Amino acid sequence: MNFLRGVMGGPSAGPQPSGAETIQKLCDRVASSTLLDDRRDAVRALKSLSKKYRLEVGIHAMEHLIHVLQTDRSDSEIIGYALDTLYNVISNDLEEEEQEENLPKQVDDLGSQFTEIFIKQQENVTLLLTLVEEFDFHVRWPGVKLLTSLLKQQGPQVQQIILVSPMGVSRLMDLLADSREVIRNDGVLLLQQLTKSNAAIQKIVAFENAFERLLDIITEEGNSDGGIVVEDCLLLLQNLLKNNNSNQNFFKEGSYIQRMKPWFEVGDDNCGWSAQKVTNLHLMLQLVRVLVSPTNPPGATSSCQKAMFHCGLLQQLCTILMATGVPADILTETINTVSEVIRGCQMNQDYFASVNAPSNPPRPAIVVLLMSMVNERQPFVLRCAVLYCFQCFLYKNQKGQGEIVSTLLPSTIDATGNSVSAGQLLCGGLFSTDSLSNWCAAVALAHALQENATLKEQLLRVQLATSIGNPPVSLLQQCTNILSQGSKVQTRVGLLMLLCTWLSNCSIAVTHFLHNPANVPFLTGQIAENLGEEEQLVQGLCALLLGISIYYNDNSLENYRKEKLKQLIEKRIGRENFIEKLGFISKHELYSRAAQKPQPSFSSPDHMMFDHEFTKLVKELEGVISKAIYKSSEEDKKEEEVKKTLEQHDNIVTHYKKVIREQDQELEELKQRVSTLTSQNEQLQATVTQQVSQIQQHKDQYNLLKVQLGKDTQHHNSHSDTFQMNGIQMEEVSKLKEELEEWKNKHELLQGQLREKDSVTEKLKSSQLEMATTEQSSQTSKSGGLEHNNELQKELEMLRSQIQLQSAEISKLQIENQKLQVMNTSADPVLGDSGATAGNNSELERRLEQEIKELKSEIKALSEEKESLKQQLDSSSSTVAILQDEKSKLQQEVAESKKEQDDLLVLLADQDQKLSALKIKLKDLGVPVEDEDDIESGDQGDEDEDGDEEEQD
């Protein structure tokens, strides 16, 4: 009865049941009730108790709730209650009221344990994915929240189950297309948890059109002015793109970078930004940095940098950089973003150099940023960002390095003093009283000299005026003077890094440094002392600087030759002690941090000691300096001799490589000319063939006319016959006139073709003269060219023979024409004897005589043109004879060049043997030898041999 009273709500006379007992009874009702309404009420009661009695509900009811999800899917209400109950049991997101109560501290463990129980059967997660597909709000929304909670508790295990589930990820992607914003927004949170640290799922989500949908949501919400939904979308985009090269490339190829430009459009009034807008812009800038991070593959980073320039994104970022009223943290992140967008990209670096700040007069953006870097009142994080921007601007940018150093040189300093240059700001920061400014300026100037020996030499010309009345001192001397004055550790570390970078790989700078007699005693004194832990770093850098002075010493100063400096180290410091002090650098904790990534990130100004590029230099020089200290003077001499010999041989090999490249270029030009002449020859042959066929046709027509005219002349005795013959002769004469006109046209064509052939002959002559200038080219290429020349000579002889045949045909036609004239004259007396028709035909005879005269004059002109053609053929034959003489000369020169080439090959073989022997000696002496030139020369030799074989074939 007590149970019934408790259920029905009536007053109970006995003690109230505990929460565990009530939950157990409700679980029994869920398991045993046959009516759906009873089960629904029981599940609703469990949901109301699940927050307060989380442990009991999880232990007793989880199995029954899962069974309800499997069997009662037709009722969306009971499914929703069951999903909410499971979410309350598994989730650790408690309400504020419940957090104030004294709950056990193992809340996180409870959620993790219940999640592990739930996903132990993978079918449960698959069932949940099926329920998420339901459109009913009361089913879909709780299902999304429950799945998100499962991913938070046991992310990798749930990710793996969803990954192997058929269409698992695709089902969840449909949540982004839901018209109900609550489900869409929670779907974004679900995908955030799903894509964490799982590249396979990230790729699937990206190829399910996630980029397009997320960017549409950001645009609909108002870009940076949007709310928390924009922040969630940006976090999801970061998950998809960070450290995922495939998705980054897909993002770039899909032209999604162009859609990021509107995010960074800011107005003139930038005051009063909301906290959400600052957060959104911060995440947007981080997303840009993900695409151009220095840790990405260089090719992918470069393509993204170029895309950002072409779409105007870089220009938009520079606008924010120079805008007023932008919050400090956004400005700092914008500087870092611009830094990585321009890092190592010449096009972007050139654009950044052209950006001017909106001041009067306009100043370059680089100068404005450097003013912030050397200003000790600026925030520390902002100064670090400006230094990183300056480093990225100079990274692999020799043009930019030269522009910065040129502002320090005497010839380019502004005499009026109206404008402040980058060099003046760096010098001012280098010698200011702020140690952080000293360090930043020293590192920035070191980056201007990075891997640029020319600028290291030019910087030696810089003179500084220290005080009125005193002579100017060099920049190098002033740096060493500040070192010797015992300034702060941070200042000395920065100056030592600058000097090490300046002197490395620059013998002239080493000589200038050693020329000051106080520098070497100062370094040895610093290294030899036993100082505290803070000074150990300075000692290590002094040892590195002294080692560089030994390793890159060209022995031009007698008192500071390599051997004497090593003897000084042996006496004053000791070799072992010197190597130990040198090792202090790489063992330092701050060195390890700086070596991890290019961006200078320090927790406090005191930790700002090492630069990323300088750690690379230390790693490169530490080993070679240690070896150089232990080498004897004889080994040094041998090494120098070997180096000089190698340099000489390298110069010889470089010279021959240059000669071979030039010969290859000339050979290619000759091949192109030969191909051009071949095509012209083919065209001429086709023209001659066509003309021969036309001549044959005209010859046949002429023979027919001749036969017809012979038959008609046999019947001219009677008057009527004579009259008919005159009519026939008139027709034949008109035909002959037409034929002569055609022959005249053909003759003009032949003359034009003969001129073309003469021009081809001249081209052949010039090409042969040019071929004579390439005496050092390979024998195989010349023999091929001479063979082709012989072919062209044969073709020219054929053309000459064809022209002679044509001239013979013309002479035959002239003879036949003369015969026709004789026949016409013999016919004149017969015409005179006809008495009755003489008057009627007088006009006809007059016309005939006139036309015959015209034909005679045309034949005479043709004979003259024939004589001129013969003269031109004679001149062409003389030209051919000259060409043959030049051909014999060329053959002699080719034979001589072949002999010289054989001598050259023998010389190269001897040099290769000497080089290999010298390299073996160097390796025996312990000197590292690079074989790139040998490999390159070997590859070049193989290419030449392959080319010779192809020409011979």
Side-chain angles (χ1 to χ4, degrees):
M1 292 295 294
N2 290 333
F3 172 71
L4 290 175
R5 288 193 188 98
V7 173
M8 299 300 294
S12 59
Q16 293 292 329
S18 64
E21 292 174 354
T22 305
I23 291 169
Q24 184 62 49
K25 290 176 183 178
L26 291 173
C27 291
D28 292 339
R29 284 182 60 189
V30 172
S32 59
S33 296
T34 57
L35 294 176
L36 179 60
D37 292 340
D38 293 341
R39 293 198 301 276
R40 186 188 303 118
D41 293 338
V43 174
R44 185 189 299 114
L46 286 172
K47 174 188 173 185
S48 63
L49 296 172
S50 59
K51 292 184 179 180
K52 186 174 182 179
Y53 298 100
R54 180 182 179 190
L55 178 62
E56 291 80 2
V57 174
I59 293 173
H60 297 291
M62 182 175 287
E63 184 178 352
H64 301 293
L65 294 172
I66 293 173
H67 183 71
V68 168
L69 295 178
Q70 294 172 344
T71 57
D72 293 331
R73 291 186 57 185
S74 59
D75 186 73
S76 60
E77 191 173 357
I78 191 174
I79 294 294
Y81 292 147
L83 291 172
D84 283 334
T85 306
L86 288 172
Y87 173 74
N88 292 337
V89 169
I90 290 173
S91 174
N92 291 327
D93 301 333
L94 301 177
E95 296 182 359
E96 294 180 1
E97 297 177 357
E98 297 177 64
Q99 289 177 355
E100 294 175 358
E101 300 177 2
N102 295 325
L103 296 175
K105 294 182 179 180
Q106 294 82 8
V107 175
D108 293 342
D109 295 338
L110 273 180
S112 179
Q113 290 172 4
F114 286 137
T115 301
E116 192 172 350
I117 294 171
F118 184 84
I119 67 174
K120 192 172 184 181
Q121 298 294 329
Q122 296 187 7
E123 295 81 4
N124 296 338
V125 179
T126 306
L127 174 63
L128 192 56
L129 289 172
T130 306
L131 293 173
V132 169
E133 283 187 291
E134 297 289 337
F135 186 75
D136 194 310
F137 181 82
H138 297 289
V139 176
R140 196 171 206 182
W141 188 41
V144 170
K145 293 194 296 181
L146 177 57
L147 193 54
T148 305
S149 183
L150 292 174
L151 284 165
K152 286 181 180 178
Q153 302 295 338
Q154 298 286 339
Q157 293 86 341
V158 180
Q159 285 175 340
Q160 192 61 32
I161 296 171
I162 294 175
L163 191 60
V164 299
S165 176
M167 300 293 292
V169 179
S170 300
R171 295 175 186 177
L172 300 179
M173 284 299 300
D174 293 337
L175 298 173
L176 296 180
D178 200 304
S179 58
R180 295 160 293 192
E181 290 189 2
V182 176
I183 295 178
R184 184 199 68 183
N185 298 343
D186 282 348
V188 173
L189 297 175
L190 170 60
L191 291 173
Q192 276 185 29
Q193 299 297 327
L194 181 64
T195 55
K196 277 185 178 179
S197 305
N198 193 308
I201 293 180
Q202 290 168 1
K203 290 179 183 178
I204 296 173
V205 171
F207 283 95
E208 287 286 344
N209 207 22
F211 294 141
E212 184 77 28
R213 296 182 183 181
L214 292 172
L215 292 173
D216 288 342
I217 294 173
I218 293 173
T219 304
E220 292 170 5
E221 295 292 326
N223 294 328
S224 61
D225 294 323
I228 190 72
V229 180
V230 173
E231 179 182 348
D232 294 335
C233 291
L234 292 170
L235 290 172
L236 177 54
L237 284 171
Q238 282 193 18
N239 284 353
L240 295 175
L241 293 173
K242 195 169 186 178
N243 298 324
N244 194 317
N245 299 329
S246 174
N247 283 1
Q248 290 174 7
N249 186 58
F250 181 68
F251 191 85
K252 178 184 69 70
E253 295 296 335
S255 300
Y256 296 119
I257 292 178
Q258 287 81 337
R259 297 188 60 178
M260 298 169 69
K261 181 185 175 184
W263 295 355
F264 305 103
E265 293 178 353
V266 295
D268 297 332
D269 185 12
N270 297 312
C271 299
W273 284 8
S274 65
Q276 187 60 56
K277 180 171 183 177
V278 172
T279 303
N280 291 343
L281 261 178
H282 201 272
L283 290 172
M284 289 171 177
L285 291 169
Q286 287 182 347
L287 191 62
V288 175
R289 294 185 64 185
V290 165
L291 295 172
V292 293
S293 172
T295 58
N296 294 342
T301 300
S302 176
S303 58
C304 289
Q305 288 171 333
K306 292 176 182 177
M308 289 176 184
F309 175 78
H310 290 302
C311 75
L313 180 57
L314 174 60
Q315 293 84 332
Q316 201 69 45
L317 292 173
C318 290
T319 303
I320 298 177
L321 199 66
M322 295 292 108
T324 56
V326 179
D329 53 347
I330 293 297
L331 181 60
T332 302
E333 190 64 23
T334 303
I335 294 172
N336 288 326
T337 305
V338 170
S339 304
E340 294 184 350
V341 172
I342 67 175
R343 186 176 189 270
C345 181
Q346 187 66 51
M347 177 173 58
N348 293 1
Q349 290 167 340
D350 292 342
Y351 171 77
F352 184 69
S354 66
V355 175
N356 288 323
S359 59
N360 191 15
R363 290 178 176 174
I366 298 174
V367 173
V368 175
L369 292 175
L370 288 177
M371 291 171 70
S372 301
M373 186 185 74
V374 298
N375 186 353
E376 55 185 314
R377 291 191 296 271
Q378 293 293 338
F380 172 67
V381 180
L382 178 64
R383 297 174 74 180
C384 290
V386 173
L387 176 62
Y388 184 47
C389 184
F390 191 72
Q391 292 173 349
C392 292
F393 170 68
L394 297 178
Y395 182 71
K396 294 184 178 179
N397 183 10
Q398 292 189 352
K399 178 182 177 183
Q401 289 176 325
E403 291 173 353
I404 297 298
V405 172
S406 66
T407 59
L408 286 165
L409 299 178
S411 58
T412 56
I413 293 177
D414 186 8
T416 60
N418 293 330
S419 61
V420 180
S421 66
Q424 291 172 343
L425 289 171
L426 290 177
C427 282
L430 195 62
F431 306 126
S432 71
T433 56
D434 179 27
S435 61
L436 187 59
S437 297
N438 301 152
W439 191 91
C440 291
V443 170
L445 196 55
H447 276 262
L449 304 176
Q450 199 79 34
E451 298 179 358
N452 199 324
T454 304
L455 295 182
K456 292 178 182 179
E457 296 177 6
Q458 289 184 4
L459 201 63
L460 296 171
R461 297 164 45 201
V462 177
Q463 300 289 322
L464 302 175
T466 55
S467 60
I468 300 175
N470 294 330
V473 297
S474 66
L475 177 61
L476 183 66
Q477 183 61 44
Q478 185 64 16
C479 291
T480 56
N481 291 342
I482 295 175
L483 272 179
S484 61
Q485 291 171 5
S487 52
K488 293 182 180 179
V489 173
Q490 191 175 42
T491 301
R492 285 183 286 163
V493 168
L495 290 173
L496 285 169
M497 287 196 298
L498 171 60
L499 291 174
C500 289
T501 305
W502 194 347
L503 268 60
S504 63
N505 203 20
C506 184
S507 300
I508 298 176
V510 171
T511 303
H512 278 254
F513 178 77
L514 296 177
H515 194 269
N516 185 354
N519 289 339
V520 174
F522 168 74
L523 293 178
T524 54
Q526 287 285 320
I527 301 169
E529 291 183 6
N530 293 321
L531 303 174
E533 186 176 352
E534 293 183 356
E535 295 291 333
Q536 286 183 351
L537 186 55
V538 177
Q539 286 184 316
L541 291 171
C542 287
L544 179 65
L545 183 58
L546 186 57
I548 291 173
S549 301
I550 294 174
Y551 186 72
Y552 292 106
N553 193 343
D554 59 358
N555 294 328
S556 58
L557 295 176
E558 184 64 28
N559 294 332
Y560 295 104
R561 298 174 64 86
K562 285 185 178 182
E563 187 59 31
K564 290 187 177 181
L565 290 175
K566 285 191 282 188
Q567 291 175 1
L568 184 64
I569 290 174
E570 180 68 26
K571 293 178 182 178
R572 299 275 184 90
I573 305 170
R575 292 181 181 179
E576 291 77 11
N577 191 22
F578 179 86
I579 299 300
E580 181 183 0
K581 297 292 177 67
L582 184 62
F584 285 164
I585 302 175
S586 56
K587 293 177 183 177
H588 203 279
E589 180 184 1
L590 297 178
Y591 174 89
S592 303
R593 291 182 186 176
Q596 292 175 0
K597 57 181 181 179
Q599 182 181 1
S601 57
F602 306 99
S603 56
S604 67
D606 296 335
H607 292 165
M608 198 177 228
M609 288 294 177
F610 284 109
D611 172 57
H612 177 75
E613 292 296 327
F614 181 73
T615 60
K616 295 181 181 179
L617 181 67
V618 173
K619 191 180 297 183
E620 177 186 349
L621 294 178
E622 188 175 6
V624 295
I625 288 175
S626 300
K627 291 180 181 178
I629 295 298
Y630 284 101
K631 282 182 181 177
S632 62
S633 58
E634 295 180 356
E635 291 176 345
D636 285 338
K637 290 180 180 179
K638 289 181 181 179
E639 183 180 348
E640 289 179 2
E641 292 177 357
V642 170
K643 282 184 178 179
K644 290 180 180 178
T645 308
L646 282 175
E647 289 178 358
Q648 292 176 357
H649 287 292
D650 289 342
N651 293 333
I652 294 173
V653 171
T654 305
H655 172 70
Y656 284 125
K657 285 180 182 177
K658 183 179 179 181
V659 171
I660 291 172
R661 288 193 194 98
E662 293 175 354
Q663 291 177 349
D664 288 339
Q665 292 177 357
E666 293 174 356
L667 187 60
E668 288 298 327
E669 292 176 358
L670 288 175
K671 286 181 179 179
Q672 291 177 0
R673 290 176 183 174
V674 167
S675 63
T676 304
L677 290 174
T678 304
S679 62
Q680 291 178 356
N681 187 25
E682 290 175 354
Q683 293 176 0
L684 288 174
Q685 284 184 342
T687 304
V688 168
T689 305
Q690 183 179 1
Q691 290 177 354
V692 168
S693 63
Q694 291 177 357
I695 289 172
Q696 186 63 37
Q697 291 177 2
H698 290 302
K699 184 176 180 181
D700 295 339
Q701 293 175 2
Y702 179 76
N703 290 332
L704 289 174
L705 290 173
K706 181 180 176 182
V707 171
Q708 291 177 0
L709 188 60
K711 289 180 180 180
D712 292 336
T713 53
Q714 293 177 1
H715 306 285
H716 57 279
N717 294 324
S718 64
H719 172 71
S720 59
D721 292 339
T722 303
F723 183 79
Q724 292 175 358
M725 182 187 70
N726 290 333
I728 293 172
Q729 283 182 351
M730 290 294 296
E731 294 175 357
E732 296 300 329
V733 168
S734 63
K735 289 181 180 180
L736 285 174
K737 184 178 179 181
E738 293 174 358
E739 292 295 327
L740 283 173
E741 288 292 332
E742 291 178 0
W743 277 109
K744 185 177 180 180
N745 295 333
K746 298 300 177 183
H747 190 65
E748 291 175 355
L749 286 175
L750 287 175
Q751 282 183 332
Q753 291 168 4
L754 187 59
R755 295 190 197 100
E756 292 178 357
K757 292 167 190 174
D758 290 338
S759 65
V760 170
T761 304
E762 292 295 326
K763 288 181 181 179
L764 288 172
K765 182 177 179 180
S766 62
S767 64
Q768 285 181 343
L769 292 174
E770 291 173 353
M771 289 171 66
T773 60
T774 59
E775 296 175 0
Q776 297 177 349
S777 61
S778 61
Q779 178 62 28
T780 308
S781 62
K782 281 203 167 186
S783 61
L786 290 172
E787 291 177 0
H788 194 75
N789 188 20
N790 292 332
E791 294 177 0
L792 292 177
Q793 292 289 345
K794 292 179 181 179
E795 292 174 359
L796 185 62
E797 292 294 332
M798 292 174 62
L799 291 174
R800 290 180 58 204
S801 60
Q802 290 175 358
I803 291 171
Q804 290 177 356
L805 291 173
Q806 291 175 4
S807 62
E809 293 295 333
I810 290 171
S811 62
K812 288 182 181 179
L813 289 174
Q814 290 178 349
I815 294 171
E816 295 296 334
N817 195 8
Q818 291 176 359
K819 290 181 179 180
L820 286 174
Q821 290 177 357
V822 172
M823 293 172 63
N824 285 332
T825 54
S826 62
D828 287 339
V830 178
L831 290 172
D833 293 339
S834 57
T837 59
N840 296 331
N841 296 330
S842 60
E843 186 176 357
L844 181 63
E845 289 173 355
R846 214 177 296 112
R847 291 178 182 174
L848 181 61
E849 288 175 356
Q850 185 177 0
E851 288 174 354
I852 288 172
K853 289 179 181 178
E854 291 177 357
L855 289 174
K856 287 181 181 179
S857 62
E858 289 175 358
I859 290 171
K860 183 177 180 182
L862 286 174
S863 61
E864 291 175 355
E865 289 176 354
K866 174 187 171 185
E867 292 297 329
S868 64
L869 285 174
K870 286 182 180 179
Q871 292 177 358
Q872 292 177 359
L873 284 174
D874 294 336
S875 63
S876 63
S877 61
S878 63
T879 303
V880 169
I882 294 171
L883 289 175
Q884 288 178 350
D885 294 337
E886 292 176 349
K887 171 186 170 184
S888 61
K889 292 179 182 179
L890 282 174
Q891 288 176 347
Q892 292 177 359
E893 291 170 352
V894 165
E896 292 176 358
S897 64
K898 181 179 179 181
K899 183 178 179 183
E900 291 176 356
Q901 189 176 13
D902 293 337
D903 297 337
L904 179 61
L905 291 173
V906 172
L907 178 60
L908 284 174
D910 294 338
Q911 289 174 355
D912 288 338
Q913 292 177 359
K914 291 179 181 179
L915 280 173
S916 59
L918 290 171
K919 286 178 181 177
I920 291 170
K921 290 181 182 180
L922 278 176
K923 289 178 181 179
D924 294 336
L925 293 172
V927 177
V929 179
E930 295 179 359
D931 295 335
E932 292 179 358
D933 290 337
D934 295 340
I935 294 172
E936 184 180 354
S937 62
D939 293 340
Q940 184 66 41
D942 294 338
E943 291 175 2
D944 292 340
E945 292 176 3
D946 294 339
D948 293 343
E949 292 176 1
E950 291 176 0
E951 292 293 340
Q952 290 175 0
D953 292 339

